[in-house]
Structure formats: C-alpha cells, structure tokens
Amino acid sequence: MILDGKVPSGPLAEKWDLHKFNMKLVSPANRRKYDVIVVGTGLAGASAAASLGEMGYNVKAFTILDSPRRSHSIAAQGGINAAKNYKNDGDSVYRLFYDTIKGGDYRAREANVYRLAQVSVNIIDQCVAQGVPFAREYGGMLENRSFGGAQVSRTFYARGATGQQLLLGAYSVLMRQVQKKSVELHTRTELLDIVVIEGRARGIIARDLLTGELSRHTADAVLLCTGGYANLYYLSTNAGNSNVTAAWRATKRGAFFGNPCYVQIHPTCIPMSGEHQAKLTLMSESLRNDGRVWVPKETGDPRRADKIPEEDRDYYLERRYPTFGNLVPRDVASRNAKMVCDEGRGVGPSKLAVYLDFTDSMNRLGVDVIKDRYGNLFDMYERITGEDPYTVPMRIYPAPHYAMGGLWVDYNLMTTIPGLFCLGEANFSDHGANRLGASALMQGLADGYFVAPYTTANYLASTPKKPITTSHPAFDEAEKEVVERMTRLLAVKGSKTVTEFHRQLGKLMWDKVGISRNESDLGQALIEIKALREEFWKDVKIVGKAEDLNRDLEHAMRVADYLEFAEMLATDAKNRRESCGSHLRDENVTEDGEALRNDQDFAYVAAWEFKGVGVEPVMHKEPLTFENVEMKQRNYK
Amino acid sequence: MKKVQLRIWRQRSQNDAGKFSEHNVDYEDDMSLLEVLDILAESLIKKGEEPFVYDFDCREGICGSCGLVINGVPHGPLKGTTTCQLHMRHFNGIASITLEPWRAAAFPLIRDLVVDRSAYDKIMSAGGYISVDTGGTPDANCLPISKTHADKAFDYAACIGCGACVAACKNSAAHLFVGAKLAQYAVLPQGQPERLRRVIAMTEKMDELGFGTCSNEGECEAVCPKEIKTEVIAMMNRDYIKAMLFGA
C-alpha cells in the first residue's frame, strides 16, 4: 500500500495557511461536547492539553509520573531553534526548513518541516509570554547561540536547562486549565491499551500505578504524546520511566510505525563504568566547541593521557574532517568514536571511551573562560566520575539518545487509526534520519501548541458524533486482554529478573543494531530477539500482584513491549540497505568509510504494519518527493 | 568491592506502622547511591521478596522525582546535589547509611520511600502561572527585560519541585518552593498584572494543604539542590503584606 501523507496542495510556503483555512472548525459552544484524551505530559502533551482546554474541549491528561512537571522533556539542556533572525545573520523560515531537511539526510516530509519552521517563531513568543526566563543580552533583547548543523545563531536557551524552563512553562498553563476544570489530570496512571471502535480511536484502558486498579476512559479523539524509545537499549540518556508502551499498543491496534530504525546516538555521553549502571548521562554537545577529541595512535597504549606526547595522539576528527573538525554532526562523531574503539585505541578502564580534551582551550582562553562556559557540566562530570576535567581530559562515548522514528502520522499528525493522533518525539515526522540539536523542543511545542489543536478540531468537526459508553464490548475486550497479559506475566514465576532481560536486550541491540549495522548482524539480531522474548515469557520472575503498587510488574510490561518492538526495529534496519543519517549500514559506505545514501531505492518512509508477535511486519511506503530542495550527499570533509 | 550497611524505611501505607530494614551490601565508589539501591532491590526480587519502592526518573538532577532523607539530611551530604547525583565516593567509606522518605503532613506516605507530593501541583494550579492562552502573543522582543532580571528569574525558576525544603523544615513549610515560583514572576514584567492576586492564591492554598509556617531557620536553603535562597521568602512576605494592605 502506498501511504498518503495528506500534504495539502499549493506552494510550500502557503500550504499551512491554506490548510488552516480549509480545515473545519468546532464552534465555541460545541467544544465542551467533545472529549479529548492526551496521554503524556511532556512538552507536546502539556502544550496540547492546555491549548485544547483553553479552546473549550473536555480534556483528560494522563502521566505515569507523579506530576506533569517531571516529564523527560525537562532534561533537555541546550536550547530551542526558531527562525526569528534576531541576529540579522541571514536566517529565515526557509533556511531553518532547509537545514532541518538536510540535517535529516533528506528522509523527512518537506511540508511538515516547512510548517515546523514557520511556527517556530510563535513558540518563542508564547514561551516569553508565559514567563520562561530565556537568556538575555544587556540591552534586554533575547540572546541566541549557534548549534550543530547550522551557520546562523538561532538557538534560544535558558542556561543549560532550556527543556526544564520550557516544560515548566507548558506545565504552568496546563495547571491553569486544571484549575479551570477544563483539563482533568490523572497522575501516576499508565495507558495499557487503546480502544478502537468502528475503526476509530474511542478511548483508553489505564492502570493506576498506586493501586493497580484499571479504569476505562472514552473520548472522541486520543493524542499520544508519550516520547521516544531509546530505553530499548537499556543504557541510554533517557529517564528510567521512558518507554515505548503507548506507541506499541497503538501499533498492535493498527497504527503503522514509521522508520523505527532511526535512533540518534549522541556522541558526548559519560562512558559506562560497570555492569551496575542504570543510565548514561549526556554532556551537552556544546562542549565540542572548545574540546578536542583524541585517542592514542597506538592500540593498547597504557600511558596516562598527560604522559602521551602530542606526536603519539590522533585527533581523528580534525584529521579526517579538516573543515568541520570536532564539530561534525552527531551521527558522524558517534560513528568515528566507535571506529577508533573497535580498533583497540579506546581509553579508560573499559577501553570504550575517547578523550575530550580542553587543555588547548584553557591555555588559549584561560581556565576562567572555560569555567564560565561549561562550569556546571564540568561539575556534573566530576560528581559522576570523580575525575577533575580541568586537569584530566574528559572521557566520552556515544549513547542512544533520541528516536527519530515513531508512529507514522499524516500532515495532520493523525496515525493510520482515525482519531488517534501522535505528537512530539513519539511520532516519526520532522527529523528524517537524524535530528539536529535544539530541534526536539521546537517540534514538541510546535505540535502541541500550534498544530494539533487545529487538526484535532478538523477531525472532530468532520466526524459524525456517536456517543459511546465504557460498557461497550470493545472496552470489555481491551480490558480483558490487559488483565490476561498481567496474569500471564505474573504466572511465569521464572528465575531471571526483568532487569536482567532488559539489560540483555539492550546489549544485543547495541551490539547488532547500534551505531553501525550490517546484514549478517541484523539477521542474527532477529533470531536472538525472538529467542530472548521466548525465554522472557518462560523464565521471568516478577514479585507482587497486579492489584497493587508494583514497580516490577510495570517494568515487566514495558520490557515485554520492547521485546516485541525490537523485532520491528531490526527488520526496518535490515530492509534499509543504505546509510542515511543515524542509520549506517557497513555495506553502504564510500571508499573512505563515509555514509552512502541510496536515493534511487530508499527515498521513502517505511511504515510498518503489525501482523502478530513473531510474524514479520508488512511495510508500506510513503514516497518522499523533494520539490523544493535538491538531494545532496552530505560532506563535512 | 567495599561494604556498607543500608537502613531502609519500610512502611506498607500511611496507616501501617513502619520500621527500618537492614541490609549489608557491596559497592564500588563509582556507583551512584540509587544504583546500589537498584542492585539491592533486584537481589530481593531474585529471592522472591517484594523490594522497597523509591522514586526516580531522569537521574540527572533535574526532574525532581528522587528524594531521600539520607542520614537525616534531605538529598544527603553533598551541597547543591539531588539524591540521584550522589555517588558512593561522596560517603567516604561510611559504615552505615540510613534512608528515609520525606516526612511532612502535607506529603502523605504512599509506600516505603515514596510520598505523595501532589500538594505542590495543587499550589501551582491555584496561581503558579501567568494567565496567557495559546496564540495572540506579541513578538518576544517587544518586551525588553534586563539581563539582571532575566538571570534572577532563572535562578528562582531553577526549582525542581522535589520537596526537600519541606522535608528539611521543622514546620514542614513550603515557603521556599512557593516563594521561588512567586519570585520568578515577580521580577519579570509579564508577571506584574497578577502579582498580588498570585501571592494570595498560592499562599492560601499552601496553608490550606497543611504546610507549616516559616520561622526563618534557613534549613530549606541549606538542602535545596538548586541552591535557591531564602530571599524569595522575604519577597513573598513583602508582596503578601502589600496585597493585604492594598488588595489584590
């Protein structure tokens, strides 16, 4: 089946305005007759729930955490892009659009990305009006900084905690609607299934994480804003509770999953220190502005960093990419770090790390300047590793960070299940095969504040209103399946913990479906995932019961979903026999080892349809046509 | 491997009696405290026992989920650090670590080390915002804000809502939390129109929810992982008096 992205006609720059005019509206008096469920309260979810509440819809918002303010958007450090051109350095909506398309290695939908760039300017206005304390210049105007993949300064930021400040802004307007009773907030509540009636999303089954009690909720539309799936790799920069469950439940109910193999591996994370480790901590990309990346020239060099003289060091990024040097995009930096470590030149106790050395910048600029720029990051590094980066070079290594892939959505952000929308990182839409820095926050808020409120209204207004109740047989069936699944899990009573399985799955995915991939590894991964899943259902050990607070069971259900989803991800990676963005196939590289795209055969979105556990999913293509930009091979030499 | 005794508060629910359970565990210096708890919890599961529960999410010190009273001090021995950012080397080979939940009437216990902090959300919904709807906002640069004020606003907005200030206070006062949010808006021009209404709404809600009064001990500032200063409480009190005298 060829998928239709429902991109409106008309010139690129006018599509969204024309579409907004053509979409149907729900009159203010009628809005309170519609129920909308928003799952997830990060940037996308909180902004969507607040906006829909303000408009007058009956909104129910759900979060697995104890407060919307804790959603993982909060951890974003660097900033948010917007085409304001406040710096008068040649930025424009078109340039932000172009940079994002190119950064995504020509694997995103042009019209979506253009709209993202258009509404980016409104986001900054909105956030400032909410009291978000962005960095300012002495004259009182907003400050900008530059970020990877762009030649203009368009990144707005709030010190190293931009995600926190934007989320607290969205959270504040959400809480205002909670006070007004236009949004009903359900905290510590997890979606366990989506209820589809007559082909439309009409509700959800949720579990109270404190009591284990299941509840049913009806709706006229359901918005999933549930984030990404990088935790599939066990060790990632994501928060402990981030998971794929909502998106996977939707997939099992018929929503297609777009480009699951596009996972961003962030190059600058603190390396793993041992088996016990629960997560990897990201160090901002901005460090590469002043740090030099190197490893020893000789494999297995036993000397301490300061004992290795200049001539025995290999500044491999500067050597291979003289133009961009240490500032090559994330995918290129990650791939090269892995390459030198595979050669046996890695450093530190695990030998899975490279140095990020500030000695030269400290000599050139002085320690105070470096302290001023990166002091908080250096402190964090010191707290975690016990090493002082002012005297010993930092050790860094890549880690899974962000999922470009996600539920397939059309231009209206609607999945292939009518009435089921997907926003933010959870959808596949705007970043193609690689996301640029400071674009995740932009997309989450664009979807939530400025896109979904219009497109949801259009859907509601063009769909015949059919009242349903929670006693509909489809709710009975969905709840029964949820209960059976929990009962089955608890009945296994095996010998291995959920964490052991999760760790094992993560290692398998990292080794075989990680930074670089090839046909034989991927084939092997598919066999091993299946075997691990079978073992899980025979040998997992879960304590406690379903009708109670049970963290072990929560984790088990999420890992069970990862064990199914992993297979779809690996299948997608195997199918895509080209290298693009974050997805590198060893077979598809240039003579000097650079990624080689194949536009002839792979300029499409792969949207996968679930056909049963262990059954190969069916791929549907959405061809990507580029009418406004020319596809070029990226070159950072 | 080194050894430490962990004394962990176990309590089934708010209405059950609680007690400490003691565990001798091995650790390495580069493990975080939460990772030591992860390992212990997993070993209990292995034995078929229900493990103690504790909240965490980002483990980067920003989400505010984690929060333990560690040897009597909320978030433990390191200044300006959340529980999740504490590593075993920060304990300097201590023999025993006692872990307790936040204890405050306004934060009822859920289980073991987990408490209910939804009172914070209720205070926020009472007035912790600038009343602005999506759309129709002026260009962001229409409103010049001095760098000094923008920086101050950020310092106050850095609060992660963890609740350590309440846990540290002998009166269980939420003044540092509420003051920080009020102060963020009070130094910004956007916050002026509702400034006095906001202070009344948030402080009344705070009192209603059972938080105590402030007696200026400064324990809150001492344990705040974001090092928010008690000056925000002074600002809150000043605005409160103004609102009382002149009306909101």
Side-chain angles (χ1 to χ4, degrees):
Chain A
M1 185 169 97
I2 301 291
L3 274 173
D4 178 8
K6 300 211 174 68
V7 173
S9 55
L12 184 66
E14 290 164 35
K15 281 181 196 291
W16 179 232
D17 282 343
L18 286 170
H19 189 57
K20 272 199 287 187
F21 179 73
N22 288 328
M23 280 193 289
K24 290 190 176 163
L25 303 168
V26 178
S27 76
N30 282 333
R31 292 179 196 157
R32 64 189 155 77
K33 297 175 189 158
Y34 288 99
D35 300 323
V36 180
I37 285 175
V38 179
V39 187
T41 56
L43 284 183
S47 58
S51 302
L52 289 162
E54 288 160 11
M55 291 162 84
Y57 297 100
N58 279 321
V59 181
K60 280 187 185 179
F62 294 82
T63 172
I64 53 175
L65 300 166
D66 71 327
S67 165
R69 68 176 298 147
R70 310 208 193 283
S71 307
H72 193 53
S73 307
I74 205 156
Q77 298 168 356
I80 177 166
N81 288 328
K84 282 285 197 186
N85 194 30
Y86 282 164
K87 294 284 139 189
N88 194 30
D89 57 359
D91 199 11
S92 62
V93 167
Y94 196 88
R95 189 173 296 282
L96 175 54
F97 154 74
Y98 180 83
D99 288 348
T100 308
I101 284 279
K102 180 189 171 200
D105 219 357
Y106 307 95
R107 290 294 176 263
R109 197 188 281 149
E110 272 191 344
N112 280 57
V113 178
Y114 193 86
R115 175 179 63 191
L116 175 68
Q118 276 178 306
V119 304
S120 69
V121 296
N122 304 112
I123 297 171
I124 303 304
D125 299 343
Q126 194 65 39
C127 295
V128 166
Q130 291 166 355
V132 169
F134 283 120
R136 300 265 169 178
E137 291 167 350
Y138 282 102
M141 298 294 139
L142 287 156
E143 172 76 285
N144 289 126
R145 63 180 168 204
S146 46
F147 238 76
Q151 289 165 301
V152 293
S153 286
R154 63 159 78 97
T155 305
F156 295 78
Y157 65 100
R159 278 185 220 161
T162 315
Q164 182 202 20
Q165 294 309 318
L166 295 177
L167 182 67
L168 293 181
Y171 162 73
S172 74
V173 291
L174 173 64
M175 294 317 284
R176 176 170 165 247
Q177 295 309 310
V178 170
Q179 180 77 357
K180 291 186 166 181
K181 299 197 168 23
S182 58
V183 177
E184 187 181 295
L185 181 63
H186 297 257
T187 58
R188 296 204 200 252
T189 307
E190 182 163 28
L191 175 148
L192 289 183
D193 211 345
I194 289 148
V195 179
V196 180
I197 296 173
E198 292 169 9
R200 296 180 186 278
R202 293 308 306 270
I204 65 167
I205 306 287
R207 181 170 177 269
D208 182 325
L209 297 179
L210 296 183
T211 62
E213 196 185 329
L214 296 176
S215 57
R216 303 172 176 196
H217 307 266
T218 61
D220 297 291
V222 177
L223 277 55
L224 298 184
C225 314
T226 48
Y229 50 81
N231 260 358
L232 165 68
Y233 291 85
Y234 186 69
L235 286 177
S236 80
T237 65
N238 285 190
N241 290 297
S242 303
N243 65 78
V244 79
T245 288
W248 188 245
R249 299 279 134 195
T251 310
K252 291 180 87 170
R253 290 279 169 203
F256 295 175
F257 207 106
N259 300 330
C261 79
Y262 296 157
V263 183
Q264 181 162 77
I265 314 284
H266 200 292
T268 49
C269 301
I270 300 178
M272 188 171 152
S273 64
E275 276 294 308
H276 58 270
Q277 198 140 348
K279 82 159 285 170
L280 294 168
T281 302
L282 175 78
M283 302 300 286
S284 171
E285 172 161 296
S286 61
L287 289 168
R288 284 194 282 141
N289 279 304
D290 287 306
R292 297 180 73 193
V293 176
W294 66 275
V295 290
K297 277 187 181 158
E298 290 298 317
T299 58
D301 193 325
R303 292 175 288 181
R304 271 174 25 196
D306 58 345
K307 301 284 178 213
I308 301 179
E310 212 48 38
E311 63 271 19
D312 292 345
R313 299 177 175 194
D314 180 12
Y315 295 90
Y316 59 90
L317 289 178
E318 296 170 24
R319 174 171 59 79
R320 297 194 62 192
Y321 309 93
T323 312
F324 277 70
N326 295 298
L327 282 174
V328 291
R330 290 176 178 180
D331 50 343
V332 180
S334 291
R335 205 174 293 150
N336 278 276
K338 179 177 187 292
M339 213 142 57
V340 295
C341 291
D342 287 350
E343 288 164 17
R345 297 194 286 147
V347 300
S350 66
K351 303 290 170 207
L352 285 175
V354 299
Y355 287 126
L356 180 62
D357 195 336
F358 293 84
T359 313
D360 286 350
S361 342
M362 283 189 285
N363 290 341
R364 191 175 73 247
L365 305 163
V367 175
D368 287 345
V369 173
I370 296 299
K371 194 171 267 177
D372 188 46
R373 284 184 191 167
Y374 310 112
N376 58 339
L377 293 169
F378 278 38
D379 291 348
M380 182 156 86
Y381 181 87
E382 202 271 328
R383 268 203 295 269
I384 292 172
T385 64
E387 287 179 358
D388 174 15
Y390 292 103
T391 54
V392 185
M394 275 187 186
R395 287 174 292 115
I396 54 161
Y397 199 63
H401 176 56
Y402 184 90
M404 278 76 67
L407 289 181
W408 183 89
V409 289
D410 63 15
Y411 186 73
N412 295 312
L413 304 183
M414 192 158 80
T415 67
T416 48
I417 300 175
L420 183 69
F421 292 78
C422 187
L423 282 60
E425 188 181 350
N427 75 27
F428 89 104
S429 73
D430 297 349
H431 308 294
N434 175 52
R435 181 177 65 74
L436 292 181
S439 284
L441 302 180
M442 171 173 69
Q443 188 222 336
L445 290 181
D447 288 0
Y449 284 132
F450 298 112
V451 181
Y454 297 98
T455 59
T456 307
N458 178 49
Y459 169 79
L460 294 172
S462 28
T463 306
K465 186 131 174 70
K466 266 197 179 174
I468 47 152
T469 65
T470 53
S471 51
H472 191 283
F475 276 93
D476 294 340
E477 186 219 351
E479 185 174 321
K480 193 166 143 252
E481 281 179 33
V482 166
V483 172
E484 277 173 6
R485 192 176 166 84
M486 289 192 286
T487 314
R488 253 181 81 205
L489 278 169
L490 289 164
V492 176
K493 298 191 190 306
S495 66
K496 269 169 76 172
T497 63
V498 179
T499 307
E500 284 175 290
F501 280 105
H502 194 175
R503 218 182 268 133
Q504 210 175 329
L505 174 67
K507 182 160 182 356
L508 149 66
M509 295 303 283
W510 179 249
D511 289 343
K512 299 197 166 70
V513 200
I515 297 179
S516 67
R517 300 144 178 202
N518 60 60
E519 194 70 22
S520 90
D521 277 357
L522 290 166
Q524 191 57 35
L526 284 166
I527 295 169
E528 289 179 26
I529 294 164
K530 193 171 265 183
L532 189 63
R533 187 174 58 234
E534 281 165 13
E535 190 194 339
F536 175 86
W537 283 97
K538 279 192 199 121
D539 197 27
V540 70
K541 184 186 186 78
I542 304 163
V543 292
K545 51 184 187 181
E547 305 78 20
D548 191 10
L549 186 164
N550 189 339
R551 296 275 168 88
D552 200 21
L553 178 63
E554 286 167 34
H555 190 197
M557 286 196 279
R558 293 170 193 168
V559 172
D561 287 338
Y562 274 135
L563 282 163
E564 294 175 5
F565 169 66
E567 208 167 342
M568 190 179 270
L569 193 156
T571 306
D572 185 39
K574 192 159 180 289
N575 168 71
R576 193 166 282 279
R577 292 185 175 82
E578 65 159 348
S579 296
C580 61
S582 64
H583 173 68
L584 184 100
R585 287 286 301 249
D586 298 332
E587 303 92 337
N588 303 90
V589 289
T590 60
E591 271 175 19
D592 50 357
E594 297 303 321
L596 191 62
R597 244 180 24 234
N598 175 354
D599 295 331
Q600 189 71 36
D601 301 318
F602 290 98
Y604 63 78
V605 177
W608 296 89
E609 182 182 4
F610 176 80
K611 286 289 183 186
V613 177
V615 181
E616 187 161 341
V618 172
M619 186 186 64
H620 303 278
K621 288 184 187 177
E622 182 200 342
L624 290 170
T625 45
F626 292 89
E627 292 165 354
N628 299 277
V629 298
E630 187 197 340
M631 291 198 266
K632 291 183 190 151
Q633 200 69 35
R634 292 192 305 166
N635 181 7
Y636 298 96
K637 288 280 176 191
Chain B
M1 282 282 183
K2 299 178 179 175
K3 286 194 189 303
V4 67
Q5 183 198 49
L6 294 181
R7 298 177 66 236
I8 298 174
W9 185 257
R10 301 294 303 254
Q11 187 176 346
R12 193 75 196 164
S13 77
Q14 174 79 5
N15 300 322
D16 290 304
K19 64 173 191 329
F20 285 104
S21 68
E22 286 165 10
H23 308 267
N24 293 309
V25 297
D26 296 331
Y27 72 92
E28 310 243 19
D29 273 345
D30 58 9
M31 289 178 181
S32 73
L33 174 66
L34 290 187
E35 283 165 358
V36 174
L37 294 187
D38 295 339
I39 295 168
L40 175 59
E42 201 184 343
S43 73
L44 295 176
I45 294 171
K46 269 278 203 223
K47 285 193 264 178
E49 292 171 30
E50 272 188 58
F52 49 91
V53 285
Y54 49 110
D55 269 336
F56 62 84
D57 198 35
C58 78
R59 301 208 182 195
E60 292 182 17
I62 194 77
C63 76
S65 293
C66 67
L68 300 174
V69 176
I70 301 163
N71 288 339
V73 181
H75 289 308
L78 215 59
K79 208 173 150 44
T81 306
T82 55
T83 299
C84 65
Q85 295 278 286
L86 273 181
H87 283 66
M88 294 309 288
R89 79 178 77 83
H90 299 132
F91 291 96
N92 299 319
I94 201 169
S96 175
I97 300 175
T98 300
L99 303 170
E100 296 169 82
W102 287 172
R103 296 188 194 275
F107 291 160
L109 187 120
I110 291 171
R111 183 171 299 171
D112 302 335
L113 302 169
V114 175
V115 299
D116 177 359
R117 287 171 290 192
S118 57
Y120 267 11
D121 287 331
K122 294 189 182 114
I123 295 174
M124 282 294 290
S125 61
Y129 43 75
I130 287 166
S131 297
V132 52
D133 284 351
T134 303
T137 49
D139 185 273
N141 259 352
C142 280
L143 197 63
I145 298 171
S146 79
K147 184 166 159 47
T148 318
H149 285 112
D151 286 352
K152 273 278 173 209
F154 181 93
D155 290 342
Y156 304 141
C159 168
I160 57 173
C162 64
C165 48
V166 173
C169 176
K170 64 177 186 182
N171 309 320
S172 298
H175 286 53
L176 197 73
F177 168 77
V178 178
K181 193 37 73 180
L182 288 166
Q184 176 197 344
Y185 296 139
V187 295
L188 291 173
Q190 303 94 305
Q192 299 315 311
E194 295 167 289
R195 182 170 176 173
L196 299 183
R197 283 168 60 95
R198 185 180 301 117
V199 68
I200 297 288
M202 291 180 81
T203 50
E204 279 182 356
K205 185 52 95 178
M206 169 180 96
D207 290 344
E208 179 195 318
L209 291 167
F211 291 101
T213 53
C214 173
S215 48
N216 294 313
E217 324 277 323
E219 300 280 359
C220 50
E221 180 180 308
V223 300
C224 175
K226 296 294 151 183
E227 304 186 75
I228 290 171
K229 306 284 176 243
T230 44
E231 69 193 40
V232 301
I233 301 177
M235 288 170 77
M236 170 169 90
N237 288 338
R238 204 159 52 225
D239 276 1
Y240 183 78
I241 291 168
K242 224 189 261 176
M244 281 297 153
L245 287 176
F246 306 115

